[in-house]
């Protein structure tokens, strides 16, 4: 449904309601897309109807959009503890892109009215704009989009005129512009792009519950913090050693006791009544994630990364990786650009022109520099969508991967060997779903040698692969 089609319906300029547009004929994803098209068409700069629509229409869309997103989000708990009917991954990708785009369209419509002056500059309207921008940032981060500098700059502009910005701290327990700015910091620090969508939805709610315990301070703390300087560097960035030069420092540590209590109760199947928007499993995963993200001693990268350049050949999935390791030509030739590399991982960049059918988080990749002599094995851990392309962050599984075969006496299967096998030591093998009996005596055939293995268990699972650990006998 195009925005112009909605606006040109017979019977008047506004012969529709936001709830009808967002209904999407029963599909929330379609409704979000229709709302985006309608708002873009109505509030474009050269549309004379924008002045007549004013704040009333965009405010109505804002309220209905948030209600529709909450109502249709994945992982919802229904009456009687039931969960919604499962939908395909493709649907949820469309759903997320739809709610993200619609949220940004609401923000842009508000901002166009704000720049035009009038009622849009009133305090309650400024707060509405602030809330809508934080919502847009939330959904964009969830969809692996990089920080939106335009939205962060607008947040900073609204904060600059608020009384809260003049003090030494901004507390999340006081409603207003400052509270929404603190919520934006909290969501930014939560690394939403690393979460499955149902878990991210649970994390949104946890951030709201924790907000009275969160704050921003002028002074730097002793632990790694997210910091920002609105006039010069509005997008928050993480400082491992805060030096006090930033304007605002995010202080989340008072929320630890509440999150720890939630984790204990959820682990005992005692669901707190406040956690009523998602499944207990999603809440538990979200609580554990936020506790790590907001810890006084958060996880840090174990190995240094070194900036590099060069073209990478890329294979996806166990089968392609196995063929490439055996010096067979991959069915699809993918060329990415290396950004940095270290002992524990690497990152690579894919320009927009080549961003077709790209891997997702937890997918297996094989990589080799164009001038290199061997393949490395990685698993995708995060991706960030930027205007110029997509950056992939990857965990290293092996820098000396080789092809091998496993046999149990009745059946055999191909696998990828991550380590050099030596008697008495542990090796890791990557495979698709095992076709051999791992509870039996297993033989490893590699490089003309045959070695007995004892299964130690699964070390990692990903999309389309499993990493198993074995002891060489």
């Amino acid at each position: 449904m195009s925005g112009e089609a909605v606006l040109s319906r017979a019977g008047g300029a506004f012969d529709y309601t936001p709830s009808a547009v967002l209904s999407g004929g029963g599909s929330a994803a379609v409704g979000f897309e229709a709302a985006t098209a309608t708002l873009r068409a109505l509030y474009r700069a050269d549309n004379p109807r924008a002045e007549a629509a004013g704040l009333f229409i965009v405010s109505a869309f804002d309220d209905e959009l948030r209600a529709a997103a909450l109502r249709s989000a994945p992982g919802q708990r229904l009456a009687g503890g039931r969960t919604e009917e499962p939908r395909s991954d493709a649907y949820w990708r469309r759903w997320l892109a739809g709610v993200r785009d619609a949220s940004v369209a609401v923000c842009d419509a508000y901002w166009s009215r704000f720049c035009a002056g009038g009622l849009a500059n009133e305090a309650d309207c400024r707060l509405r704009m602030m809330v809508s921008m934080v919502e847009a940032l939330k959904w964009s981060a969830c969809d692996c989009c990089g920080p939106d500098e335009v939205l962060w700059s607008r947040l900073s502009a609204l904060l600059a005129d608020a009384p809260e910005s003049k003090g030494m701290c901004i507390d999340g327990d006081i409603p207003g512009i400052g509270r929404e700015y603190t919520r934006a910091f909290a969501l930014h620090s939560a690394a939403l792009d690393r979460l499955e969508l149902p878990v991210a939805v649970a994390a949104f709610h946890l951030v709201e519950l924790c907000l009275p315990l969160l704050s921003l301070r002028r002074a730097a703390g002793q632990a790694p913090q997210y910091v920002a300087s609105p006039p010069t560097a509005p997008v928050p960035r993480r400082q491992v050693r805060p030096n006090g030069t930033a304007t605002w420092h995010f202080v989340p540590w008072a929320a630890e006791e509440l999150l720890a209590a939630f984790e204990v109760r959820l682990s005992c199947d005692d669901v707190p009544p406040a956690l009523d928007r998602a499944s207990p499993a999603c809440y538990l995963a979200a609580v554990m994630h936020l506790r790590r993200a907001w810890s006084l001693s958060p996880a840090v990268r174990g190995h240094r990364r070194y900036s590099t350049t060069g073209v990478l050949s890329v294979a996806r999935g166990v089968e392609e990786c196995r063929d490439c390791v055996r010096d067979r030509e991959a069915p699809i030739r993918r060329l990415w650009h290396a950004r940095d590399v270290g002992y524990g991982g690497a990152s690579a960049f894919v320009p927009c022109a080549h961003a077709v059918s790209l891997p997702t988080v937890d997918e297996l990749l094989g990589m080799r520099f164009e001038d290199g002599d061997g393949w490395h094995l990685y698993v995708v851990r995060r991706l960030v969508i930027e205007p110029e392309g997509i950056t992939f962050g990857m965990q290293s599984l092996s820098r000396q991967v080789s092809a091998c075969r496993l046999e149990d006496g009745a059946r055999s299967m191909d696998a990828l060997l991550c380590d050099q096998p030596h008697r008495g030591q542990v090796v890791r093998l990557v495979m698709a779903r095992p076709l051999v009996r791992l509870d039996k005596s297993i033989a490893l055939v590699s490089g003309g040698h045959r070695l007995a293995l004892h299964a130690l268990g699964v070390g990692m699972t990903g999309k389309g692969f499993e990493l198993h650990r074995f002891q060489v006998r």
Side-chain angles (χ1 to χ4, degrees), residues 79-422:
R82 296 178 297 112
T83 57
E84 63 200 347
E85 292 296 320
R87 293 181 180 266
S88 67
D89 289 343
Y91 173 83
W92 288 119
R93 286 194 296 270
R94 182 179 179 183
W95 183 95
L96 181 55
V99 71
R100 178 202 68 209
D101 290 345
S103 298
V104 174
V106 166
C107 292
D108 290 344
Y110 270 134
W111 194 254
S112 71
R113 295 297 86 211
F114 174 72
C115 294
L119 291 175
N121 283 279
E122 297 294 330
D124 58 340
C125 293
R126 295 167 73 90
L127 179 57
R128 260 189 170 276
M129 280 190 289
M130 197 81 172
V131 172
S132 73
M133 290 176 194
V134 178
E135 289 294 297
L137 288 169
K138 174 182 81 176
W139 291 116
S140 293
C142 190
D143 202 20
C144 299
C145 295
D148 190 320
E149 294 186 11
V150 171
L151 288 180
W152 276 105
S153 295
R154 292 175 182 176
L155 284 178
S156 299
L158 293 174
L159 177 70
D161 293 331
E164 302 98 306
S165 68
K166 309 303 188 290
M168 294 302 294
C169 67
I170 298 175
D171 293 320
D173 60 343
I174 302 175
I177 294 271
R179 175 181 174 137
E180 289 305 311
Y181 189 66
T182 304
R183 183 165 72 100
F185 253 86
L187 292 165
H188 182 86
S189 69
L192 299 171
D193 58 304
R194 300 187 183 186
L195 299 177
E196 295 289 339
L197 184 54
V199 179
V201 170
F204 300 161
H205 190 202
L206 289 170
V207 168
E208 293 177 15
L209 295 173
C210 291
L211 200 50
L213 304 173
L214 309 179
S215 64
L216 297 170
R217 294 285 188 269
R218 299 278 188 183
Q222 300 299 313
Q225 287 179 292
Y226 277 86
V227 303
S229 298
T232 57
V235 178
R237 65 193 186 281
R238 186 169 179 264
Q239 278 190 343
V240 177
R241 297 178 181 84
N243 54 24
T245 58
T247 304
W248 294 112
H249 300 75
F250 181 52
V251 183
W253 304 303
E256 166 62 20
E257 185 174 348
L258 177 62
L259 291 173
F262 282 159
E263 183 173 347
V264 169
R265 293 187 63 177
L266 288 165
S267 299
C268 298
D269 294 325
D270 177 19
V271 182
L275 305 185
D276 58 356
R277 296 188 191 172
S279 69
C282 288
Y283 273 120
L284 180 58
V287 164
M288 295 171 67
H289 177 81
L290 285 178
R291 290 190 70 190
R292 289 192 296 268
W294 293 348
S295 170
L296 276 167
S297 53
V300 295
R301 185 173 288 166
H303 303 279
R304 183 178 176 183
R305 293 279 185 91
Y306 298 90
S307 297
T308 187
T309 58
V311 177
L312 297 165
S313 294
V314 180
R316 288 178 60 183
V318 173
E319 187 174 345
E320 273 194 30
C321 289
R322 188 174 62 242
D323 288 343
C324 290
V325 168
R326 288 175 170 168
D327 293 327
R328 297 175 184 170
E329 190 66 28
I332 300 176
R333 183 168 173 78
R334 304 180 187 87
L335 299 177
W336 294 8
H337 301 282
R339 280 199 163 172
D340 59 48
V341 65
Y343 181 80
S347 69
F349 178 75
V350 185
C352 287
H354 300 155
V356 178
S357 184
L358 292 173
T360 57
V361 173
D362 292 336
E363 191 165 334
L364 185 72
L365 299 180
M367 290 195 171
R368 183 183 68 181
F369 276 93
E370 285 287 88
D371 57 354
D373 57 0
W375 286 84
H376 295 189
L377 211 56
Y378 293 94
V379 60
V380 178
R381 286 307 183 203
R382 70 182 309 182
L383 59 94
V384 178
I385 302 172
E386 302 164 319
E388 301 81 14
I390 301 177
T391 297
F392 287 86
M394 300 163 292
Q395 176 188 349
S396 176
L397 295 184
S398 176
R399 305 177 67 176
Q400 50 184 1
V401 61
S402 59
C404 66
R405 192 171 72 254
L406 289 177
E407 299 177 349
D408 66 0
R411 291 168 293 183
S412 67
M413 66 175 294
D414 293 324
L416 293 165
L417 179 61
C418 296
D419 311 289
Q420 291 295 324
H422 298 286

Side-chain angles (χ1 to χ4, degrees), residues 9-26:
R9 287 178 182 174
F14 305 120
D15 187 19
Y16 67 95
T17 62
S19 59
V21 174
L22 281 160
S23 69

